[in-house]
Amino acid sequence: MHVSIIIPVYEITAFLEEAVQSAASGDYADKEVLVVDDGSSPENAAVIASICQRYPLVKLLQQPHGGAAAARNFGVANASGELVFFLDADDVLQPGALGFLVGALREHPDAIASYGRVQMMDAGGRLTGGIMPADARIVSGARVLEFLLERKLPFCNGSIIIRKAALEKLDVENTHLTVGEDWVLWCHLALVGTIIPAGNRVVLHRRKHGKNVSAQGIENPELILAAYESIHAHPVFSQALGEEKCRELKEKCLCRIHTYLASAYAANGEAEKAAHHFRQVTLPLSAFDDSGEVA
């Protein structure tokens, strides 16, 4: 199965070569790597072009700045692969990951996508946290949609491989979002087919640093809430699951967002902001498990 790895990049080039190298190397030969420069400044565009020239498998695409979702869409439109893998420009694809994910789709020809696990690392590339999802959080099939409507699953962070034909069936408006645009995409993807876990293997190291998307969400919570509204205001989900179920998932989702924001602000010593978000949590403590996840 021919795989197209799509790497959108805008301005931040410090980690790009490591991402490109991880995509271009490895033992899975039937692939292409498309780096989409999303309208970077001339100085950074030159750096991006220089990195891409060092790897024969890499093709550089350029577009006016439109955001990550638009860059991914442009990559898909130019992809020749039967399968698509989105890799952020600050993350690292792990050796053997493509073969592992593709193998799951070979074993399950009716599935439209498969995902692995993610491990966090810091700006210097040092592994920092646990592996996600924990075994209890691995979900498959019809349950994926409900989990996505309630929470961002770890494959939103880039551990999923998708049949291009499934992506081409989607009619998703997410290019206006700067945070959570991938979450919106996966919710709609889960409507058109079955998403399966490939297994417990870590396929991606996700880098957390001061300029990535998660940091933007903490600085401006409205960006996260905009993604939430984009998902839960769409009638297609209540049509699929029913109004009552969607109302339940919507409340859990909003509580999870406010709990996440409150915890992040508390960890940063911003007590007033933390208290504000804790007051927005409407579910009782019994609705949460020991890890702080909504049960």
Side-chain angles (χ1 to χ4, degrees), residues 208 214-215 218-219 260-271 273-274:
K208 186 174 183 180
S214 58
I218 297 300
E219 292 173 3
Y260 164 74
L261 290 169
S263 299
Y265 285 128
N268 290 339
E270 299 178 83
K273 289 182 179 180

Side-chain angles (χ1 to χ4, degrees), residues 103-118:
L105 291 183
R106 289 190 185 279
E107 293 177 10
H108 299 87
D110 294 334
I112 62 169
S114 68
Y115 69 97
R117 306 178 81 184
V118 175

